[in-house]
Amino acid sequence: TTRLVLQCGADSLAGDRLGCFNLTLRGHGDCVAFMQKFRVPLLLCGGGGYSIRNVSRCWAYETGVALGQELSNSIPPNEFLGYYGPDFKLHLTPIAELSNGNSKSDLESKKTAIFQQLSHLDFAPSVQMHDRPEDF
């Protein structure tokens, strides 16, 4: 039976000290929702991130998405609430000063090249091939 494992690393989030991908929690959650469209058992694993307050936000939000639960943007009172100031909100605001240096045409050309390379790979005989779900 097919199963999926999704490693939910948070170092791509806005405000992470290592990465500068500037992603939002909603972007991460969209990945979880996309993988759920395959309608097979899905195991979500925690992953990296260098800002503990953002890692916990990310995992909480992704768990909510996986369970079909909308979480409040206000972080409820708890013994760690001080970590989430100054706004005490679940969702992160992307850093406006970071610009996206990728053009749509450059990304499309890279995607085409990757898919072309993948088309030359032999698939494992015991793994069924499936069409992927439609893009958002």
Side-chain angles (χ1 to χ4, degrees):
T1 306
T2 301
R3 289 163 176 73
L4 295 173
V5 177
L6 182 60
Q7 192 271 339
C8 301
D11 48 5
S12 58
L13 289 172
D16 191 86
R17 293 185 320 201
L18 176 66
C20 57
F21 295 103
N22 212 24
L23 298 180
T24 64
L25 295 181
R26 287 184 179 86
H28 265 245
D30 286 348
C31 292
V32 172
F34 177 80
M35 297 306 288
Q36 286 180 309
K37 289 182 180 181
F38 288 99
R39 305 255 188 259
V40 297
L42 175 63
L43 174 65
L44 300 178
C45 298
Y50 295 88
S51 171
I52 190 90
R53 60 189 58 91
N54 291 351
V55 171
S56 58
R57 282 177 165 111
C58 184
W59 294 349
Y61 183 73
E62 289 174 340
T63 300
V65 170
L67 297 173
Q69 298 295 310
E70 182 69 30
L71 301 181
S72 169
N73 193 36
S74 296
I75 296 176
N78 65 77
E79 64 183 295
F80 302 103
L81 190 60
Y83 284 103
Y84 302 99
D87 62 354
F88 307 100
K89 301 294 182 193
L90 175 66
H91 289 281
L92 306 167
T93 302
I95 302 165
E97 293 80 33
L98 289 179
S99 62
N100 185 350
N102 299 300
S103 69
K104 190 165 182 93
S105 63
D106 189 42
L107 291 173
E108 282 299 320
S109 96
K110 284 180 175 36
K111 184 174 85 171
T112 300
I114 290 168
F115 285 151
Q116 183 179 18
Q117 291 295 320
L118 289 173
S119 72
H120 297 293
L121 296 176
D122 292 329
F123 62 90
S126 64
V127 177
Q128 294 178 336
M129 301 297 279
H130 297 282
D131 290 330
R132 66 181 182 88
E134 290 295 317
D135 291 338
F136 293 96

